[in-house]
Amino acid sequence: MFSTISYIAPDGVETITFNDGNGYLINSGGLKGLSGSSDDIAVELPWGGQRFVNIKNNPMECTLSIIVEGNGAEEETQQRVKRLRSMFSRMASGSLTLDNGDGITYTLDIRQAGAIEVPEIETTLDDIIIVDIPIISDNGYWRTSTTAASMPDGNVTINDVPTQVRRFTFTNTSELPTSGKVVWHGDTEGAIVAIYDQDTGAVIGSTTLPPAGDTTLAMNLSPRSALMITDAAGAQQLEKWRAVKGTMFPVGVNPGERQVIVTNHPNARVFYDVKILDPWEW
């Protein structure tokens, strides 16, 4: 099974796929360090020893080593080096994507972590130039998006109103906490989304999805997001967000936990970013 690795610049448009004959190859060891590391979080027990609680993942750092070839033309090599360097930023993150050929694509947000050194050899007449780019992933994890399993669930009473709903279920099988995103489109008004307690089935929070009109909207269920709503391009929809802000406290999903979300919106779906420390599962 062969993996495919690509890089997407911070503009979200400019893309390089490595090792596919276009002049950019990953050097041997050029990705070393992009498997996540973590520290155990534990509490000390009064009778000795400790109890494991969770893990804290660390940033990933790497020198991304790229072989740039000009196919026999030195000027082509120079232009490709110039293009490669221009696609990295100290402030804005681009992303590496890894496709292991198993139908799952992993993404790692990265930015340039320091100066790109001048190659050690004279480059004017070289057809092959090695460019070493220091990079860092501040998040420290790869991610892949998954759609929560959905099924009809009959009538559920939400805010004292019997409502025909669909139930979305997600179990976090990774090592890191995550959160969901409700995505919907259409002019349906008054559609409700609710989060259920995984053990008791009680509603622990509910809110109303505003109409999306001719675009697709997404509501972030991360506890840090305050239910921020964005459109298909990622732009914040502040007026719609103000209408739902504070209506419920969004809840994340810890490793091993299950989250159940129900909604009566006919076009709603729920997505989760599964966060992976090591995607190299060959």
Side-chain angles (χ1 to χ4, degrees):
M1 181 183 298
F2 293 95
S3 62
T4 300
I5 301 175
S6 302
Y7 173 69
I8 304 172
D11 63 9
V13 177
E14 193 77 6
T15 304
I16 287 176
T17 300
F18 298 108
N19 302 0
D20 73 343
N22 64 357
Y24 300 97
L25 299 89
I26 297 177
N27 200 7
S28 177
L31 291 176
K32 187 175 178 60
L34 295 188
S35 179
S37 64
S38 62
D39 299 322
D40 288 351
I41 299 176
V43 293
E44 184 176 350
L45 300 176
W47 51 85
Q50 64 181 21
R51 178 171 63 86
F52 173 75
V53 178
N54 210 328
I55 65 172
K56 174 183 178 294
N57 62 303
N58 303 313
M60 296 182 193
E61 296 187 63
C62 169
T63 298
L64 183 62
S65 186
I66 306 300
I67 301 173
V68 184
E69 298 181 340
N71 299 328
E74 293 83 359
E75 291 183 0
E76 183 67 23
T77 307
Q78 295 283 340
Q79 289 300 316
R80 288 176 175 173
V81 169
K82 183 177 180 180
R83 177 190 177 220
L84 177 67
R85 291 175 60 116
S86 70
M87 291 175 64
F88 287 83
S89 168
R90 294 290 299 272
M91 301 298 295
S93 292
S95 57
L96 282 176
T97 63
L98 170 66
D99 183 352
N100 285 337
D102 55 2
I104 302 175
T105 299
Y106 300 93
T107 302
L108 179 70
D109 295 328
I110 60 172
R111 62 177 176 85
Q112 185 179 325
I116 301 175
E117 295 292 338
V118 176
E120 295 181 357
I121 58 176
E122 173 60 45
T123 63
T124 304
L125 300 177
D126 291 326
D127 177 45
I128 297 177
I129 299 174
I130 297 178
V131 181
D132 292 329
I133 305 172
I135 61 172
I136 184 171
S137 168
D138 297 298
N139 290 335
Y141 58 78
W142 296 76
R143 55 186 167 82
T144 182
S145 182
T146 185
T147 306
S150 169
M151 63 180 298
D153 200 39
N155 288 327
V156 173
T157 299
I158 303 176
N159 295 342
D160 298 323
V161 178
T163 309
Q164 178 71 31
V165 298
R166 294 188 64 83
R167 177 183 294 263
F168 295 87
T169 304
F170 168 78
T171 300
N172 186 4
T173 58
S174 73
E175 298 173 293
L176 299 174
T178 190
S179 55
K181 185 175 289 186
V182 181
V183 179
W184 73 99
H185 64 275
D187 294 321
T188 301
E189 297 186 26
I192 295 173
V193 58
I195 300 176
Y196 275 43
D197 183 270
Q198 64 168 341
D199 297 319
T200 67
V203 177
I204 59 176
S206 64
T207 191
T208 299
L209 300 179
D214 58 358
T215 186
T216 297
L217 296 180
M219 176 187 289
N220 194 333
L221 298 181
S222 166
R224 296 184 177 183
S225 71
L227 302 180
M228 176 53 67
I229 295 177
T230 55
D231 64 15
Q236 295 180 344
Q237 302 295 295
L238 296 181
E239 289 300 321
K240 295 182 183 296
W241 171 64
R242 291 188 183 101
V244 302
K245 179 184 178 183
T247 55
M248 74 171 180
F249 184 75
V251 180
V253 191
N254 288 322
E257 287 188 352
R258 177 173 60 96
Q259 186 170 81
V260 178
I261 294 176
V262 299
T263 178
N264 67 342
H265 196 294
N267 302 319
R269 295 172 294 166
V270 184
F271 296 90
Y272 291 84
D273 273 344
V274 180
K275 302 173 182 179
I276 305 295
L277 293 177
D278 180 8
W280 314 100
E281 299 175 342
W282 298 332

